[in-house]
Amino acid sequence: MFDFAVFGSLFLTLFVIMDPPGITPIFLALTSGRPAKVQRRMAWQAVCVAFGVIAVFGICGQQILDYLHVSVPALMIAGGLLLLLIALDLLTGKTDEPKQTKDVNVALVPLGMPLLAGPGAIVSVILAVQKADGFGAQLSVWTAIAAMHVVLWLTMRYSLVIIRVIKDGGVVLVTRLAGMMLSAIAVQQIINGVLQVVHGA
């Protein structure tokens, strides 16, 4: 039987971690200056990459981490450092330079991973899959994961309307705001990873 409690719990957890409303300004900042058709494709690619990463770790995540001898805190710190580098580019305006970004598919990195499929989402899915007993619980877990990615796609897909309203000046403002938000997320992720290392020592 489908377990709505499991579905609701994981969906809300992923919603808070992956934060569709919060990803909107970051998506707009990273994809600004590209044709609308390309932006829509990048939104789809980012969601597909995120779902693929989440699915792989959901199926055999713990085995992957054990094989590589990588701890969850190490994964969190590495993801935080990568996000911090992206945030610094947004804050300093380096992403405005066409040569640096036009040929780079930001739908893969950093949008798909680690922004959407970050350490927090990966760990949550690994734990949810491990705790799910029976077909009904497993179905609930994977339905929640799929539903979350549909929400992410819809959020990014229709956030493109905002660009037509705020114009170029607004995009610059959104880019700086996104950089500040992203830097805070990155630092918090690094802090969480360090705290887990300290507590585990």
Side-chain angles (χ1 to χ4, degrees):
M1 293 293 291
F2 190 86
D3 194 328
F4 285 97
V6 172
F7 171 86
S9 176
L10 181 58
F11 182 84
L12 289 176
T13 300
L14 290 178
F15 190 92
V16 171
I17 294 173
M18 301 177 93
D19 190 17
I23 204 69
T24 299
I26 299 173
F27 172 75
L28 293 177
L30 291 173
T31 61
S32 64
R34 293 174 171 83
K37 184 178 179 180
V38 174
Q39 290 174 317
R40 288 194 293 270
R41 187 174 71 242
M42 292 176 79
W44 173 250
Q45 288 175 336
V47 169
C48 288
V49 168
F51 182 79
V53 171
I54 291 288
V56 168
F57 276 94
I59 295 170
C60 51
Q62 194 59 57
Q63 292 86 339
I64 292 174
L65 295 180
D66 291 342
Y67 177 77
L68 297 175
H69 303 290
V70 174
S71 65
V72 171
L75 188 66
M76 295 178 71
I77 294 172
L81 290 173
L82 178 58
L83 288 181
L84 189 57
L85 291 175
I86 303 298
L88 291 175
D89 278 348
L90 291 176
L91 283 170
T92 57
K94 289 184 179 180
T95 53
D96 293 336
E97 300 174 18
K99 290 183 180 178
Q100 288 190 340
T101 59
K102 297 303 181 186
D103 297 328
V104 176
N105 192 350
V106 296
L108 307 181
V109 177
L111 274 175
M113 183 178 182
L115 274 177
L116 298 181
I122 289 172
V123 172
S124 298
V125 168
I126 290 175
L127 294 176
V129 171
Q130 288 178 347
K131 291 178 182 177
D133 294 324
F135 176 77
Q138 286 288 340
L139 178 63
S140 304
V141 166
W142 289 102
T143 303
I145 294 170
M148 184 67 248
H149 284 80
V150 170
V151 170
L152 285 167
W153 176 74
L154 289 173
T155 303
M156 290 189 291
R157 168 67 175 79
Y158 290 102
S159 67
L160 299 177
V161 178
I162 298 173
I163 290 181
R164 303 191 192 113
V165 176
I166 62 178
K167 307 298 182 184
D168 291 341
V171 169
V172 173
L173 178 63
V174 167
T175 299
R176 299 299 181 267
L177 176 63
M180 189 166 59
M181 291 170 53
L182 193 56
S183 62
I185 293 171
V187 171
Q188 186 61 57
Q189 193 164 289
I190 294 171
I191 291 173
N192 292 343
V194 171
L195 288 176
Q196 287 195 26
V197 171
V198 172
H199 291 158

